[in-house]
Amino acid sequence: MRVAVYYSNKDIRIEERPVPKIGDGEMLIKVMASGVCGSDVMEWYRLHKVPLILGHEVGGEIVEVGTGVTKYKKGDRVCAAHHVPCNTCYYCLSGHHTVCDTLRKTNFDPGGFAEYLRLPAINVDRGVFLLPDEVSFEEATFIEPLACILHGQKQARLSPGQSVLVIGSGISGLLHIQLAKALGAGNIIAVDINDHRIKAAKRFGADAAINAKEYAPERLRQLNNGRLADLVILCTGNTTAINQGLKSVERCGTALFFAPTDPNVTIPFSINDIFWRNEVTLTTSYAGSPADHETAMELIHAKRVNVKDMITHRFGLAEIVKGFQHVAEAKESIKVIIEPQK
């Protein structure tokens, strides 16, 4: 089978590998669509691990099931989670599945940027989701990222009617906007440096969208009835944006650090000036649980979150470098889909 082997964002080689053999409780999936995630192009996070076969946002068709697999059969249309929890450790039993050690060790074999992938038994047991007929393979690639968004907003305890400021309107920011709207948020304001993404933010549900060059907390107050934001969601690791975001949280509000920074970045800030007496909460999130995947799939199925119109580019496996460049450059792309069978 063909696989795309990652060495850098500009060096991804199409190679031939044997189709994985499956064992008891395992599954072989023919990958029909695989999304390029922003984390896929973070070279600082990848380069020390290369060569890699990436791809964790997948939709595909089961072509073989191992002995003991009874819930699924050949021909089923599915999406799958690459990371799954043990469900028995301290963290899982406390409801914190996404910090489980097992979740951080589990993965696909080899990855979604391949014609076929093997799902280990633990992934089959708790990380496979049957797609409704109305959900396409392309739409299925959004289930994993939307699960991460859902987990983030749970961490931030978004409540209906709260105002939301989303800083960074790439794919994660746009999904945050759509989900916040679906969950009943009040005023939603987006910020980005890219005019194309500012327009996209408004198209996907933001009540207002501002160029980052023109943004200041005073501007937020003008758009939000004199108040700062109840929830600030930071979908960029840019330090200037982070500092602006921290100054944009209303009293008793929350700042969600959804995107990582570059390595070794620290953010110094004044406890007194920003937080003292204001009872502001800082929180982060990582990944999504199997339950988050289930909910994300239902939100997509019910059209509460419009993912189809977020797809801007499609490439066959042989053109995957173009896909990575579009995501890395972040100019006029929103979601890039790789189709390994083409």
Coordinates of all heavy atoms in Angstrom, one line a residue, residues 3-94:
V3 N 1.9 4.9 1.4 CA 1.9 5.7 2.7 C 2.6 7.0 2.4 O 3.5 7.1 1.6 CB 2.5 4.9 3.9 CG1 1.7 3.6 4.1 CG2 4.0 4.7 3.6
A4 N 2.2 8.0 3.2 CA 3.0 9.3 3.1 C 3.8 9.4 4.3 O 3.3 9.5 5.5 CB 2.0 10.5 3.0
V5 N 5.2 9.4 4.1 CA 6.1 9.4 5.2 C 6.6 10.9 5.5 O 7.2 11.5 4.6 CB 7.3 8.5 5.0 CG1 8.2 8.4 6.2 CG2 6.8 7.1 4.7
Y6 N 6.4 11.4 6.7 CA 6.7 12.7 7.0 C 8.1 12.9 7.5 O 8.5 12.2 8.4 CB 5.8 13.2 8.1 CG 6.0 14.6 8.6 CD1 5.4 15.7 8.0 CD2 6.8 14.9 9.7 CE1 5.6 17.0 8.5 CE2 7.0 16.1 10.2 CZ 6.4 17.2 9.6 OH 6.6 18.5 10.0
Y7 N 8.9 13.8 6.9 CA 10.3 14.1 7.3 C 10.3 15.6 7.7 O 11.1 16.0 8.6 CB 11.3 13.9 6.2 CG 11.5 12.4 6.0 CD1 10.7 11.7 5.0 CD2 12.5 11.6 6.6 CE1 10.8 10.3 4.8 CE2 12.6 10.3 6.4 CZ 11.8 9.6 5.5 OH 12.0 8.3 5.2
S8 N 9.5 16.4 7.1 CA 9.3 17.8 7.4 C 8.1 18.3 6.7 O 7.5 17.6 5.8 CB 10.5 18.7 7.0 OG 10.6 18.9 5.6
N9 N 7.7 19.5 6.9 CA 6.5 20.0 6.2 C 6.7 20.1 4.7 O 5.7 20.0 4.0 CB 6.1 21.4 6.7 CG 5.5 21.4 8.1 OD1 5.2 20.4 8.6 ND2 5.4 22.6 8.7
K10 N 7.9 20.2 4.2 CA 8.2 20.3 2.8 C 8.8 19.0 2.3 O 9.1 18.9 1.1 CB 9.1 21.5 2.5 CG 8.5 22.8 2.8 CD 9.4 23.9 2.5 CE 8.8 25.3 2.8 NZ 9.7 26.4 2.5
D11 N 8.9 18.0 3.1 CA 9.5 16.7 2.7 C 8.7 15.6 3.2 O 8.8 15.1 4.3 CB 10.9 16.6 3.2 CG 11.7 15.3 2.8 OD1 11.1 14.6 1.9 OD2 12.8 15.1 3.3
I12 N 7.7 15.2 2.4 CA 6.8 14.1 2.7 C 6.9 13.1 1.5 O 6.5 13.5 0.4 CB 5.3 14.6 2.9 CG1 5.3 15.7 4.0 CG2 4.4 13.4 3.3 CD1 4.0 16.3 4.2
R13 N 7.3 11.9 1.7 CA 7.6 11.0 0.6 C 6.6 9.9 0.6 O 6.2 9.3 1.6 CB 9.0 10.4 0.9 CG 10.1 11.5 1.1 CD 11.4 10.9 1.5 NE 12.3 11.9 2.1 CZ 13.5 11.6 2.6 NH1 13.9 10.4 2.7 NH2 14.2 12.6 3.1
I14 N 6.1 9.6 -0.6 CA 5.2 8.5 -0.9 C 6.0 7.2 -1.0 O 6.9 7.1 -1.9 CB 4.3 8.7 -2.1 CG1 3.6 10.1 -2.0 CG2 3.4 7.6 -2.3 CD1 2.7 10.2 -0.8
E15 N 5.8 6.3 -0.1 CA 6.5 5.0 -0.1 C 5.5 3.8 -0.1 O 4.3 4.0 0.2 CB 7.4 5.0 1.2 CG 8.4 6.1 1.2 CD 9.3 6.0 2.5 OE1 9.1 5.0 3.3 OE2 10.1 6.9 2.7
E16 N 6.1 2.7 -0.4 CA 5.3 1.5 -0.4 C 5.5 0.7 0.9 O 6.7 0.5 1.3 CB 5.6 0.6 -1.6 CG 5.1 1.1 -2.9 CD 3.6 1.0 -3.1 OE1 3.0 0.0 -2.4 OE2 3.0 1.8 -3.8
R17 N 4.5 0.3 1.6 CA 4.6 -0.6 2.8 C 3.6 -1.7 2.7 O 2.6 -1.6 2.0 CB 4.3 0.3 4.0 CG 5.2 1.5 4.3 CD 6.5 1.1 4.9 NE 7.4 2.2 5.0 CZ 7.5 3.0 6.0 NH1 6.6 2.8 7.1 NH2 8.3 4.0 6.1
P18 N 3.9 -2.8 3.4 CA 2.9 -3.9 3.4 C 1.6 -3.5 4.1 O 1.6 -2.7 5.0 CB 3.6 -5.0 4.2 CG 5.0 -4.6 4.2 CD 5.1 -3.1 4.1
V19 N 0.5 -4.0 3.6 CA -0.8 -3.7 4.3 C -0.7 -4.4 5.7 O -0.3 -5.6 5.8 CB -2.0 -4.3 3.5 CG1 -3.3 -4.2 4.3 CG2 -2.1 -3.6 2.1
P20 N -1.0 -3.7 6.7 CA -0.9 -4.3 8.1 C -1.7 -5.6 8.2 O -2.8 -5.7 7.7 CB -1.4 -3.2 9.0 CG -1.3 -2.0 8.2 CD -1.5 -2.3 6.8
K21 N -1.1 -6.6 8.9 CA -1.8 -7.8 9.3 C -2.6 -7.6 10.6 O -2.0 -7.0 11.5 CB -0.9 -9.0 9.4 CG -0.1 -9.3 8.1 CD -0.9 -9.8 7.0 CE -0.1 -10.1 5.8 NZ -0.9 -10.6 4.6
I22 N -3.8 -8.0 10.7 CA -4.5 -7.8 12.0 C -4.5 -9.1 12.8 O -4.4 -10.2 12.2 CB -6.0 -7.3 11.7 CG1 -6.8 -8.4 11.0 CG2 -5.9 -6.0 10.9 CD1 -8.3 -8.1 11.0
G23 N -4.7 -8.9 14.1 CA -4.8 -10.1 15.0 C -6.2 -10.1 15.7 O -7.1 -9.4 15.2
D24 N -6.3 -10.9 16.7 CA -7.6 -11.1 17.4 C -8.0 -9.7 18.0 O -7.2 -9.0 18.5 CB -7.4 -12.1 18.6 CG -7.1 -13.5 18.1 OD1 -7.3 -13.7 16.9 OD2 -6.8 -14.3 18.9
G25 N -9.3 -9.4 17.8 CA -9.8 -8.2 18.3 C -9.5 -6.9 17.5 O -9.9 -5.8 17.9
E26 N -8.7 -7.1 16.4 CA -8.3 -5.9 15.7 C -9.1 -5.7 14.4 O -10.0 -6.4 14.1 CB -6.8 -6.1 15.3 CG -5.9 -6.1 16.6 CD -4.4 -6.2 16.3 OE1 -4.1 -6.5 15.1 OE2 -3.6 -5.9 17.2
M27 N -8.8 -4.7 13.7 CA -9.6 -4.2 12.5 C -8.7 -3.6 11.5 O -7.7 -2.9 11.9 CB -10.7 -3.3 13.0 CG -11.6 -2.7 12.0 SD -12.7 -1.5 12.7 CE -13.7 -2.5 13.8
L28 N -9.0 -3.8 10.2 CA -8.3 -3.1 9.1 C -9.3 -2.2 8.5 O -10.4 -2.6 8.1 CB -7.8 -4.2 8.1 CG -6.9 -3.6 7.0 CD1 -5.6 -3.1 7.5 CD2 -6.6 -4.6 5.9
I29 N -8.9 -1.0 8.3 CA -9.7 0.1 7.7 C -9.1 0.6 6.4 O -7.9 0.9 6.4 CB -9.9 1.2 8.7 CG1 -10.8 0.8 9.9 CG2 -10.6 2.4 8.0 CD1 -11.0 1.9 10.9
K30 N -9.9 0.7 5.4 CA -9.5 1.4 4.2 C -9.8 2.9 4.4 O -11.0 3.3 4.6 CB -10.3 0.8 3.0 CG -10.0 1.4 1.7 CD -10.9 0.8 0.6 CE -10.5 1.3 -0.8 NZ -11.4 0.7 -1.9
V31 N -8.8 3.7 4.4 CA -8.9 5.1 4.7 C -9.4 5.8 3.5 O -8.8 5.9 2.4 CB -7.6 5.7 5.2 CG1 -7.8 7.2 5.5 CG2 -7.0 4.9 6.3
M32 N -10.6 6.5 3.6 CA -11.2 7.2 2.5 C -10.9 8.7 2.6 O -10.9 9.4 1.6 CB -12.7 6.9 2.5 CG -13.1 5.5 2.4 SD -12.4 4.6 1.0 CE -13.2 5.4 -0.4
A33 N -10.8 9.2 3.8 CA -10.5 10.6 4.0 C -9.7 10.8 5.3 O -10.0 10.1 6.3 CB -11.8 11.5 4.0
S34 N -8.8 11.8 5.2 CA -8.0 12.0 6.4 C -7.7 13.5 6.5 O -7.1 14.1 5.5 CB -6.7 11.2 6.4 OG -6.0 11.3 7.6
G35 N -8.0 14.2 7.6 CA -7.8 15.6 7.7 C -6.4 15.9 8.1 O -5.8 15.2 8.9
V36 N -5.9 17.1 7.6 CA -4.6 17.6 8.1 C -4.9 18.5 9.3 O -5.5 19.5 9.2 CB -3.9 18.3 7.0 CG1 -2.5 18.8 7.5 CG2 -3.7 17.5 5.8
C37 N -4.4 18.1 10.4 CA -4.5 18.9 11.7 C -3.4 19.9 11.8 O -2.3 19.7 11.3 CB -4.5 17.9 12.9 SG -4.6 18.7 14.5
G38 N -3.7 21.0 12.5 CA -2.7 22.0 12.7 C -1.5 21.4 13.5 O -0.4 21.8 13.3
S39 N -1.7 20.4 14.3 CA -0.6 19.8 15.0 C 0.3 19.0 14.1 O 1.5 18.8 14.4 CB -1.1 18.9 16.2 OG -1.8 17.8 15.6
D40 N -0.2 18.6 12.9 CA 0.6 17.8 12.0 C 1.7 18.7 11.4 O 2.7 18.1 11.0 CB -0.3 17.3 10.8 CG -1.3 16.2 11.3 OD1 -0.9 15.4 12.2 OD2 -2.3 16.1 10.6
V41 N 1.5 20.0 11.4 CA 2.5 20.9 10.7 C 3.4 21.6 11.8 O 4.1 22.5 11.4 CB 1.8 21.9 9.8 CG1 1.0 21.2 8.7 CG2 0.9 22.8 10.5
M42 N 3.2 21.2 13.0 CA 4.1 21.8 14.1 C 5.5 21.1 14.0 O 5.7 20.1 14.7 CB 3.5 21.7 15.5 CG 2.2 22.5 15.7 SD 1.7 22.7 17.4 CE 1.6 21.0 18.0
E43 N 6.4 21.6 13.2 CA 7.6 20.9 13.0 C 8.4 20.7 14.3 O 9.1 19.7 14.5 CB 8.5 21.7 12.0 CG 8.0 21.5 10.6 CD 8.9 22.1 9.5 OE1 9.5 23.2 9.8 OE2 9.0 21.5 8.5
W44 N 8.4 21.7 15.2 CA 9.1 21.6 16.5 C 8.7 20.4 17.3 O 9.4 19.8 18.0 CB 9.0 22.8 17.3 CG 7.6 23.1 17.8 CD1 6.7 24.0 17.2 CD2 7.0 22.6 18.9 NE1 5.5 24.0 17.9 CE2 5.7 23.2 19.0 CE3 7.3 21.8 20.0 CZ2 4.7 22.9 20.0 CZ3 6.4 21.5 21.0 CH2 5.1 22.1 21.0
Y45 N 7.4 20.0 17.1 CA 6.8 18.9 17.8 C 7.1 17.5 17.1 O 7.0 16.5 17.7 CB 5.3 19.1 17.9 CG 4.6 18.1 18.8 CD1 4.8 18.0 20.1 CD2 3.5 17.4 18.2 CE1 4.1 17.1 20.9 CE2 2.8 16.5 19.0 CZ 3.1 16.3 20.3 OH 2.4 15.5 21.1
R46 N 7.4 17.6 15.8 CA 7.5 16.4 15.0 C 9.0 16.0 14.6 O 9.3 14.8 14.5 CB 6.7 16.6 13.7 CG 5.3 16.9 13.9 CD 4.5 15.8 14.4 NE 3.1 16.1 14.6 CZ 2.2 15.3 15.2 NH1 2.6 14.2 15.8 NH2 0.9 15.7 15.3
L47 N 9.8 17.0 14.4 CA 11.1 16.7 13.7 C 12.0 15.7 14.5 O 12.7 14.9 13.9 CB 11.9 18.0 13.5 CG 11.3 18.9 12.4 CD1 12.1 20.1 12.2 CD2 11.2 18.1 11.0
H48 N 11.9 15.7 15.8 CA 12.8 14.8 16.5 C 12.3 13.3 16.5 O 12.9 12.4 17.0 CB 13.0 15.3 18.0 CG 11.7 15.2 18.8 ND1 10.7 16.0 18.7 CD2 11.4 14.3 19.8 CE1 9.7 15.7 19.5 NE2 10.1 14.7 20.2
K49 N 11.1 13.1 15.9 CA 10.5 11.8 15.9 C 10.5 11.2 14.5 O 10.0 10.1 14.3 CB 9.0 11.9 16.4 CG 8.8 12.5 17.8 CD 7.4 12.6 18.1 CE 7.1 13.4 19.4 NZ 5.7 13.5 19.6
V50 N 10.9 12.0 13.5 CA 10.8 11.5 12.1 C 11.7 10.3 11.8 O 12.7 10.1 12.5 CB 11.1 12.6 11.1 CG1 10.1 13.8 11.3 CG2 12.5 13.1 11.2
P51 N 11.4 9.5 10.8 CA 10.2 9.6 9.9 C 8.9 9.1 10.6 O 8.9 8.2 11.4 CB 10.6 8.6 8.8 CG 11.5 7.6 9.4 CD 12.2 8.3 10.5
L52 N 7.8 9.7 10.2 CA 6.5 9.4 10.8 C 5.4 9.3 9.7 O 5.5 9.9 8.6 CB 6.0 10.6 11.7 CG 6.8 10.9 12.9 CD1 6.4 12.3 13.5 CD2 6.6 9.8 14.0
I53 N 4.4 8.5 10.0 CA 3.2 8.4 9.1 C 2.1 9.0 10.0 O 1.6 8.4 10.9 CB 2.9 7.0 8.7 CG1 4.1 6.4 7.8 CG2 1.6 7.0 7.8 CD1 3.9 5.0 7.5
L54 N 1.8 10.2 9.7 CA 0.8 11.0 10.5 C -0.6 10.7 10.0 O -0.9 9.9 9.1 CB 1.1 12.5 10.4 CG 2.5 12.9 10.9 CD1 2.8 14.4 10.7 CD2 2.7 12.6 12.4
G55 N -1.5 11.5 10.6 CA -2.9 11.4 10.2 C -3.8 10.7 11.2 O -3.7 9.5 11.5
H56 N -4.6 11.6 12.0 CA -5.4 11.0 13.0 C -6.9 11.4 12.9 O -7.7 11.1 13.8 CB -4.8 11.4 14.4 CG -4.8 12.9 14.6 ND1 -3.6 13.6 14.3 CD2 -5.7 13.8 15.1 CE1 -3.8 14.9 14.6 NE2 -5.1 15.0 15.1
E57 N -7.2 12.1 11.9 CA -8.6 12.5 11.7 C -9.2 11.7 10.5 O -9.0 12.2 9.3 CB -8.7 14.0 11.4 CG -8.1 14.9 12.5 CD -8.0 16.3 12.1 OE1 -8.3 16.7 11.0 OE2 -7.6 17.1 13.0
V58 N -9.8 10.6 10.7 CA -10.0 9.7 9.6 C -11.5 9.3 9.5 O -12.2 9.2 10.5 CB -9.2 8.4 9.7 CG1 -7.7 8.7 9.7 CG2 -9.6 7.6 10.9
G59 N -11.9 9.0 8.2 CA -13.1 8.3 7.9 C -12.8 7.2 7.0 O -12.0 7.4 6.0
G60 N -13.4 6.0 7.2 CA -13.0 4.9 6.3 C -14.0 3.8 6.3 O -15.1 3.9 7.0
E61 N -13.7 2.7 5.7 CA -14.5 1.5 5.6 C -13.8 0.3 6.1 O -12.6 0.1 5.8 CB -14.9 1.3 4.1 CG -15.8 0.1 3.8 CD -16.1 0.0 2.4 OE1 -16.6 1.0 1.8 OE2 -15.9 -1.1 1.8
I62 N -14.5 -0.5 6.9 CA -13.8 -1.7 7.4 C -13.7 -2.7 6.3 O -14.7 -3.0 5.6 CB -14.7 -2.3 8.6 CG1 -14.8 -1.3 9.7 CG2 -14.1 -3.6 9.1 CD1 -15.8 -1.8 10.8
V63 N -12.5 -3.3 6.2 CA -12.3 -4.3 5.1 C -12.0 -5.7 5.7 O -12.0 -6.7 5.1 CB -11.1 -3.9 4.2 CG1 -11.5 -2.7 3.3 CG2 -9.8 -3.6 4.9
E64 N -11.7 -5.7 7.1 CA -11.4 -7.0 7.7 C -11.5 -6.8 9.2 O -11.1 -5.8 9.8 CB -10.0 -7.5 7.4 CG -9.6 -8.9 7.9 CD -8.2 -9.3 7.5 OE1 -7.5 -8.6 6.8 OE2 -7.8 -10.4 8.0
V65 N -12.1 -7.8 9.9 CA -12.2 -7.7 11.3 C -11.6 -9.0 11.9 O -11.6 -10.1 11.3 CB -13.6 -7.6 11.9 CG1 -14.2 -6.3 11.5 CG2 -14.5 -8.8 11.4
G66 N -10.9 -8.9 13.1 CA -10.3 -10.1 13.7 C -11.2 -10.9 14.5 O -12.4 -10.5 14.8
T67 N -10.8 -12.1 14.9 CA -11.5 -13.0 15.7 C -12.0 -12.3 17.0 O -11.2 -11.6 17.6 CB -10.7 -14.2 16.1 OG1 -10.3 -14.9 14.9 CG2 -11.5 -15.2 16.9
G68 N -13.2 -12.4 17.3 CA -13.7 -11.8 18.6 C -14.4 -10.5 18.4 O -15.1 -10.0 19.3
V69 N -14.3 -9.9 17.2 CA -14.9 -8.6 16.9 C -16.4 -8.9 16.5 O -16.6 -9.5 15.4 CB -14.2 -7.8 15.9 CG1 -15.0 -6.5 15.5 CG2 -12.8 -7.4 16.3
T70 N -17.3 -8.4 17.3 CA -18.7 -8.7 17.0 C -19.6 -7.5 16.7 O -20.7 -7.6 16.1 CB -19.4 -9.5 18.2 OG1 -19.2 -8.7 19.4 CG2 -18.7 -10.9 18.3
K71 N -19.1 -6.3 17.2 CA -19.9 -5.1 17.0 C -19.8 -4.5 15.6 O -20.6 -3.7 15.2 CB -19.5 -4.1 18.0 CG -19.8 -4.4 19.5 CD -19.2 -3.4 20.4 CE -19.7 -2.0 20.2 NZ -19.1 -1.0 21.1
Y72 N -18.8 -4.9 14.9 CA -18.5 -4.3 13.6 C -18.3 -5.4 12.5 O -17.9 -6.6 12.9 CB -17.3 -3.4 13.6 CG -17.4 -2.4 14.8 CD1 -16.6 -2.7 15.9 CD2 -18.2 -1.3 14.7 CE1 -16.7 -1.8 17.0 CE2 -18.2 -0.5 15.8 CZ -17.5 -0.7 16.9 OH -17.5 0.2 18.0
K73 N -18.5 -5.1 11.3 CA -18.3 -6.1 10.2 C -17.7 -5.4 9.0 O -17.7 -4.2 8.8 CB -19.7 -6.7 9.8 CG -20.7 -5.7 9.3 CD -22.0 -6.4 9.0 CE -23.0 -5.5 8.3 NZ -23.3 -4.2 9.0
K74 N -17.3 -6.2 8.1 CA -16.7 -5.8 6.8 C -17.8 -4.9 6.1 O -18.9 -5.3 6.0 CB -16.3 -6.9 5.9 CG -15.7 -6.6 4.6 CD -15.3 -7.8 3.8 CE -14.7 -7.4 2.4 NZ -14.3 -8.6 1.6
G75 N -17.3 -3.8 5.6 CA -18.2 -2.9 4.8 C -18.8 -1.8 5.7 O -19.4 -0.8 5.1
D76 N -18.7 -1.8 7.0 CA -19.2 -0.8 7.8 C -18.4 0.5 7.6 O -17.2 0.5 7.5 CB -19.1 -1.1 9.3 CG -20.2 -2.1 9.8 OD1 -21.2 -2.2 9.1 OD2 -20.0 -2.6 10.9
R77 N -19.1 1.6 7.6 CA -18.5 3.0 7.5 C -18.2 3.5 8.9 O -19.1 3.5 9.7 CB -19.4 3.9 6.7 CG -19.7 3.4 5.3 CD -20.8 4.3 4.7 NE -20.4 5.7 4.5 CZ -20.8 6.7 5.2 NH1 -21.7 6.5 6.2 NH2 -20.4 7.9 5.0
V78 N -17.0 3.9 9.1 CA -16.6 4.3 10.5 C -15.7 5.4 10.5 O -15.0 5.8 9.5 CB -15.9 3.1 11.2 CG1 -16.9 1.9 11.4 CG2 -14.6 2.7 10.5
C79 N -15.6 6.1 11.7 CA -14.5 6.9 12.1 C -13.8 6.2 13.3 O -14.5 5.4 13.9 CB -14.9 8.3 12.3 SG -15.7 8.6 13.9
A80 N -12.6 6.6 13.6 CA -11.9 6.0 14.7 C -11.1 7.0 15.5 O -10.6 8.0 14.9 CB -11.0 4.9 14.2
A81 N -11.0 6.8 16.8 CA -10.1 7.6 17.6 C -8.7 7.0 17.7 O -8.6 5.8 17.9 CB -10.7 7.7 19.0
H82 N -7.7 7.8 17.5 CA -6.3 7.2 17.5 C -5.9 7.1 19.0 O -5.1 6.2 19.3 CB -5.4 8.1 16.7 CG -5.2 9.5 17.3 ND1 -6.3 10.3 17.5 CD2 -4.1 10.2 17.5 CE1 -5.8 11.5 17.9 NE2 -4.5 11.5 18.0
H83 N -6.3 7.9 19.9 CA -5.9 7.8 21.3 C -7.2 7.4 22.1 O -8.3 8.0 21.9 CB -5.5 9.2 21.9 CG -4.2 9.7 21.3 ND1 -3.2 8.9 20.8 CD2 -3.8 11.0 21.1 CE1 -2.2 9.7 20.3 NE2 -2.6 10.9 20.5
V84 N -7.0 6.3 22.9 CA -8.2 5.9 23.7 C -7.7 5.6 25.1 O -6.5 5.2 25.3 CB -8.8 4.6 23.1 CG1 -9.5 4.9 21.8 CG2 -7.8 3.5 23.0
P85 N -8.6 5.8 26.1 CA -8.2 5.7 27.5 C -8.3 4.2 28.0 O -9.0 3.4 27.4 CB -9.1 6.6 28.2 CG -10.4 6.5 27.4 CD -9.9 6.4 26.0
C86 N -7.7 4.0 29.2 CA -7.8 2.6 29.8 C -9.2 2.4 30.5 O -9.6 1.3 30.6 CB -6.7 2.4 30.8 SG -6.8 3.4 32.3
N87 N -9.8 3.5 31.0 CA -11.1 3.5 31.7 C -11.0 2.9 33.1 O -12.0 2.7 33.8 CB -12.1 2.7 30.9 CG -12.6 3.5 29.7 OD1 -12.4 4.7 29.6 ND2 -13.2 2.7 28.7
T88 N -9.8 2.6 33.6 CA -9.6 2.0 34.9 C -8.7 2.7 35.8 O -8.6 2.4 37.0 CB -9.2 0.5 34.8 OG1 -7.9 0.5 34.1 CG2 -10.2 -0.3 34.1
C89 N -7.9 3.7 35.3 CA -6.9 4.3 36.1 C -7.5 5.4 37.0 O -8.7 5.7 36.9 CB -5.8 4.9 35.3 SG -6.3 6.3 34.3
Y90 N -6.7 6.0 37.8 CA -7.1 7.1 38.7 C -7.8 8.2 37.9 O -8.8 8.8 38.3 CB -5.9 7.6 39.5 CG -6.2 8.9 40.2 CD1 -6.9 9.0 41.4 CD2 -5.8 10.2 39.6 CE1 -7.2 10.2 42.1 CE2 -6.1 11.4 40.3 CZ -6.7 11.4 41.5 OH -7.0 12.6 42.1
Y91 N -7.1 8.6 36.8 CA -7.6 9.7 36.0 C -8.9 9.4 35.3 O -9.9 10.2 35.4 CB -6.6 10.1 35.0 CG -5.2 10.5 35.6 CD1 -4.1 9.6 35.5 CD2 -5.1 11.7 36.3 CE1 -2.9 10.0 36.0 CE2 -3.9 12.0 36.9 CZ -2.8 11.1 36.7 OH -1.6 11.5 37.3
C92 N -9.0 8.2 34.7 CA -10.3 7.8 34.1 C -11.4 7.8 35.1 O -12.5 8.2 34.8 CB -10.1 6.5 33.4 SG -9.1 6.6 31.9
L93 N -11.2 7.1 36.2 CA -12.2 7.0 37.2 C -12.6 8.3 37.8 O -13.7 8.4 38.4 CB -11.8 6.0 38.3 CG -11.6 4.5 37.8 CD1 -11.1 3.7 39.0 CD2 -12.9 4.0 37.3
S94 N -11.7 9.3 37.7 CA -12.1 10.7 38.1 C -12.7 11.5 37.0 O -13.0 12.7 37.3 CB -10.8 11.4 38.6 OG -10.2 10.7 39.7

